[in-house]
Amino acid sequence: MRVGIDIGGMTIKAGLVDDRYQIVDKKTIKTNSETESAEQIIQRMAALIKELLKENHVEEEKCESVGIACPGTVDPAQGTVVYSNNIRWENVPILAWLKEQLDIPMYLANDADAAALGETLGGAAKGRKNAILLTLGTGVGGGVIMDGRIFLGPLRGGCEPGHMVIERNGRLCSCGRRGCLEMYASASALMKSAREKAEKYPGSQMNILSGNKPEAIDGRIIFEAEKQKDEAAVQVVSEYEKDLATGIANLINIFRPEVVILGGGVSAQKNYLTDQLQKLVVKECFGGELGEIPPIVTSELGNDAGMIGAAFLD
Amino acid sequence: MRVGIDIGGMTIKAGLVDDRYQIVDKKTIKTNSETESAEQIIQRMAALIKELLKENHVEEEKCESVGIACPGTVDPAQGTVVYSNNIRWENVPILAWLKEQLDIPMYLANDADAAALGETLGGAAKGRKNAILLTLGTGVGGGVIMDGRIFLGPLRGGCEPGHMVIERNGRLCSCGRRGCLEMYASASALMKSAREKAEKYPGSQMNILSGNKPEAIDGRIIFEAEKQKDEAAVQVVSEYEKDLATGIANLINIFRPEVVILGGGVSAQKNYLTDQLQKLVVKECFGGELGEIPPIVTSELGNDAGMIGAAFLD
């Protein structure tokens, strides 16, 4: 048995994971990063792990490992969260603090990296040793698995494909660059452009389906309107897919992975989205049909991917 | 002793390389890909290798390996040139054909990949196991070394960072995409934008230094004019550096290499270019100063890098 922890902006989830990558039990606490110090949060996290093990009658020495998936930049070798914007942590020695409470081997990874690992172990890329995961949410998280391991270059900072510029001098990203993939391919970017478009086209199905509440226009409504051939929604989705395909093709031209996995809210569109992306990407990859084009699939583990991957870090 | 072959559009170079990564002897023949079949060229290549060994009194069985660096898409595992635009080859089983003539272990790599390996063995990244080389020439070749080995994803097609889009809907690239890094950061792109700019600014130093021959405006003249604070040249160089830095930062955000090496004609500017790029890149890398930013350096082996790297393929 292993424990995988997924730290999010709102909640911290702990999963007890068995050797077949199944979550046996799961507990959740609030993150409270706005009111509590990192030390306090980590204290509660240790208690959460102990509780999870106790309730499932797993002794500490029988727990093979605890893995932590954390948003932002982490230093897995040092066991330190270098910087996490979501939870406002900077240089937090999370593993050292947890080890004061628990005598179990512990590991740390970026959350998207852990999710990518989880999908290759027990999810959409099961049995594959080389995969890229892009999580399309508030931002674009990215995790790359090569030879069965999380791909991290030698220097601190992590692999951040979401912060690859696809538009020189483009939209200003929270990272400080202009034109990052995240500014075009995230779920937030999709919603922003849909809301802008809906304002220009008052008769759009997006306005009707959202009861004329722009803030209620979400991915589901956008794709629903697009399927009804609503002109404004068709434009929004088509541009979104083109930009996402540009980012995916960039990554295929670099990593040539066996599979590209999409996670996050937008991936609920499954084949409807990936079939279209696959068509666009074939035309964009270097060498075209002379190279090999990986399949684009959607996440199978969803929000559990990070916990499952974290449990199998080493 | 080992032999490294570098196949170019105009010439094929063969180098006899010792264990300290030094070229002991070198022979060159014309490629003649417009008039000869791949089989004929490979026949001459085998003769070239035999001649090089004979003249240096190295018996075939004493030659540890022959490595081939070839432009375009190669399949190292199959020993096949999948597609090379420069020399018009498609699906050429180069290693199988060479093995009919020579009983020496043989290996194949893309030319930029081999050059990157060469630089890590005996050049600008000597002693480093993780480096990216970008050769700024007609196009932008790219080679990535991770853990001391050429980085190639699992699927056929190669790692082609020059064909990463940095401008959605940008300039049309020969690969079929729009906005590839190559269309902004190659030496050709620099010269093209300088010639266009010089035409608009007849009084530019670039026109004076080139004797009013736009086709004579090359990298040397552009940087010379820029150093003289010629307004047109300053604009051209500044935009070029910004685009190149965008590409480099994209790659740092993905690979976090220990060092980034620039090769090709433009790299003759050495520190004058890299100092400026370093300043731009620091601001562009994810996590900024909280991450680690690799040094940007220029090639030390120049045109020999491919031969040296090829000799040490395995």
Side-chain angles (χ1 to χ4, degrees):
Chain A
M1 286 293 186
R2 296 160 187 271
V3 173
I5 306 275
D6 193 355
I7 305 179
M10 302 302 289
T11 60
I12 295 171
K13 296 177 293 179
L16 187 66
V17 186
D18 70 17
D19 288 344
R20 291 170 304 120
Y21 317 115
Q22 303 294 314
I23 293 176
V24 176
D25 193 16
K26 183 156 70 172
K27 294 186 89 74
T28 302
I29 55 175
K30 287 199 173 151
T31 309
N32 291 345
S33 62
E34 296 182 21
T35 53
E36 287 182 33
S37 71
E39 217 154 354
Q40 287 173 306
I41 295 170
I42 291 167
Q43 194 85 26
R44 284 194 292 115
M45 206 181 291
L48 179 74
I49 297 166
K50 284 182 185 178
E51 212 182 306
L52 182 69
L53 292 173
K54 199 175 173 191
E55 286 184 11
N56 288 277
H57 313 290
V58 178
E59 288 164 41
E60 254 185 68
E61 52 267 37
K62 290 277 169 66
C63 178
E64 288 173 73
S65 68
V66 171
I68 314 287
C70 182
T73 302
V74 301
D75 187 331
Q78 299 295 320
T80 306
V81 177
V82 178
Y83 178 69
S84 179
N85 186 46
N86 297 38
I87 52 175
R88 304 159 183 220
W89 286 6
E90 199 173 317
N91 289 321
V92 173
I94 182 169
L95 294 197
W97 290 354
L98 278 174
K99 277 174 190 162
E100 288 171 12
Q101 313 279 331
L102 287 158
D103 187 25
I104 307 176
M106 286 191 197
Y107 306 97
L108 174 66
N110 165 274
D111 55 353
D113 288 345
L117 183 63
E119 293 286 352
T120 62
L121 294 174
K126 191 164 181 156
R128 305 285 193 170
K129 288 190 171 302
N130 302 277
I132 296 179
L133 169 71
L134 294 178
T135 52
L136 314 169
T138 313
V140 172
V144 177
I145 305 298
M146 288 279 133
D147 283 331
R149 301 187 64 82
I150 290 171
F151 179 85
L152 290 174
L155 300 195
R156 191 178 56 240
C159 177
E160 289 284 351
H163 296 281
M164 165 176 66
V165 165
I166 61 160
E167 175 92 346
R168 300 181 305 159
N169 314 315
R171 301 173 192 162
L172 186 63
C173 181
S174 63
C175 80
R177 304 188 82 183
R178 282 193 172 275
C180 286
L181 177 61
E182 159 157 325
M183 298 311 294
Y184 302 87
S186 63
S188 308
L190 172 66
M191 289 189 281
K192 187 166 182 287
S193 75
R195 285 163 193 171
E196 285 168 9
K197 189 70 85 178
E199 210 185 324
K200 280 193 206 147
Y201 293 78
S204 163
Q205 277 295 322
M206 295 189 285
N207 290 317
I208 296 163
L209 292 167
S210 67
N212 278 308
K213 290 193 194 102
E215 70 281 5
I217 298 179
D218 59 8
R220 200 187 50 76
I221 287 179
I222 298 163
F223 277 95
E224 181 58 35
E226 194 258 356
K227 285 169 192 167
Q228 293 176 23
K229 309 258 183 277
D230 175 70
E231 180 58 24
V234 166
Q235 282 177 31
V236 166
V237 168
S238 146
E239 182 157 349
Y240 176 78
E241 288 171 338
K242 195 156 161 282
D243 292 342
L244 178 53
T246 295
I248 293 172
N250 277 0
L251 293 169
I252 292 173
N253 280 353
I254 286 171
F255 284 107
R256 294 280 170 184
E258 290 175 90
V259 54
V260 176
I261 311 159
L262 303 180
V266 181
S267 69
Q269 297 301 322
K270 296 191 186 290
N271 282 4
Y272 188 76
L273 175 66
T274 55
D275 287 352
Q276 188 56 30
L277 290 170
Q278 198 82 47
K279 277 185 219 160
L280 292 168
V281 156
V282 169
K283 289 183 248 169
E284 297 264 323
C285 291
F286 190 76
E289 308 274 4
L290 287 169
E292 286 176 283
I293 315 289
I296 302 166
V297 302
T298 50
S299 156
E300 278 179 16
L301 302 178
N303 293 330
D304 289 344
M307 259 184 296
I308 295 171
F312 286 87
L313 291 172
D314 60 10
Chain B
M1 287 292 186
R2 295 162 187 270
V3 172
I5 306 277
D6 194 354
I7 305 178
M10 302 301 289
T11 60
I12 295 171
K13 296 178 292 179
L16 187 67
V17 187
D18 70 16
D19 288 344
R20 291 169 306 121
Y21 318 114
Q22 304 295 313
I23 293 177
V24 175
D25 192 16
K26 182 156 70 172
K27 295 186 89 70
T28 303
I29 54 175
K30 286 199 174 152
T31 310
N32 290 347
S33 62
E34 295 183 21
T35 52
E36 288 182 32
S37 71
E39 218 156 352
Q40 287 173 308
I41 295 170
I42 291 167
Q43 193 85 26
R44 285 194 294 116
M45 205 182 289
L48 180 74
I49 297 167
K50 284 182 186 179
E51 213 182 304
L52 183 68
L53 291 174
K54 199 174 171 191
E55 286 183 11
N56 288 277
H57 312 290
V58 178
E59 287 164 42
E60 254 185 67
E61 52 268 38
K62 291 277 168 67
C63 177
E64 289 173 73
S65 66
V66 170
I68 315 286
C70 182
T73 302
V74 301
D75 186 332
Q78 298 295 320
T80 305
V81 177
V82 177
Y83 178 70
S84 178
N85 186 46
N86 297 39
I87 51 174
R88 307 162 181 216
W89 286 7
E90 199 172 318
N91 289 319
V92 173
I94 182 168
L95 294 197
W97 290 355
L98 279 174
K99 277 175 191 163
E100 288 172 11
Q101 314 278 330
L102 288 158
D103 186 25
I104 307 175
M106 287 191 196
Y107 306 97
L108 173 66
N110 167 273
D111 56 353
D113 289 345
L117 182 64
E119 293 286 351
T120 62
L121 293 174
K126 192 166 181 154
R128 305 284 193 170
K129 288 189 170 301
N130 302 278
I132 296 179
L133 169 71
L134 293 178
T135 52
L136 314 169
T138 313
V140 172
V144 177
I145 305 298
M146 288 280 132
D147 283 332
R149 303 187 62 82
I150 291 171
F151 179 85
L152 290 174
L155 299 196
R156 192 178 54 242
C159 177
E160 291 283 351
H163 296 281
M164 165 176 67
V165 165
I166 62 160
E167 175 90 347
R168 300 181 307 161
N169 316 315
R171 301 173 193 161
L172 186 62
C173 180
S174 63
C175 79
R177 304 188 82 182
R178 283 194 172 273
C180 287
L181 176 60
E182 160 157 327
M183 299 310 295
Y184 302 87
S186 63
S188 309
L190 172 64
M191 290 189 280
K192 186 166 184 285
S193 76
R195 287 165 193 170
E196 286 169 7
K197 190 70 86 178
E199 208 184 325
K200 279 192 208 149
Y201 294 78
S204 162
Q205 278 295 322
M206 294 190 285
N207 290 318
I208 296 162
L209 291 168
S210 67
N212 277 308
K213 290 194 193 100
E215 70 281 5
I217 298 177
D218 60 7
R220 199 188 50 78
I221 287 180
I222 298 163
F223 277 95
E224 183 56 38
E226 193 259 357
K227 285 168 193 167
Q228 294 177 22
K229 307 259 183 278
D230 174 71
E231 180 57 24
V234 166
Q235 281 177 32
V236 167
V237 168
S238 145
E239 181 157 351
Y240 176 78
E241 288 170 340
K242 194 155 163 281
D243 291 342
L244 178 53
T246 295
I248 293 172
N250 277 1
L251 293 169
I252 293 173
N253 280 354
I254 286 171
F255 284 106
R256 295 281 172 182
E258 289 176 270
V259 54
V260 176
I261 312 158
L262 302 180
V266 181
S267 69
Q269 297 301 322
K270 295 190 187 292
N271 281 4
Y272 187 75
L273 175 66
T274 55
D275 287 353
Q276 189 56 30
L277 289 171
Q278 199 82 47
K279 276 185 220 159
L280 292 168
V281 156
V282 169
K283 288 183 249 168
E284 297 265 323
C285 291
F286 191 77
E289 309 274 3
L290 286 170
E292 286 176 283
I293 314 289
I296 302 167
V297 303
T298 51
S299 158
E300 279 179 14
L301 302 179
N303 293 329
D304 289 344
M307 259 184 297
I308 295 171
F312 286 86
L313 292 172
D314 61 10

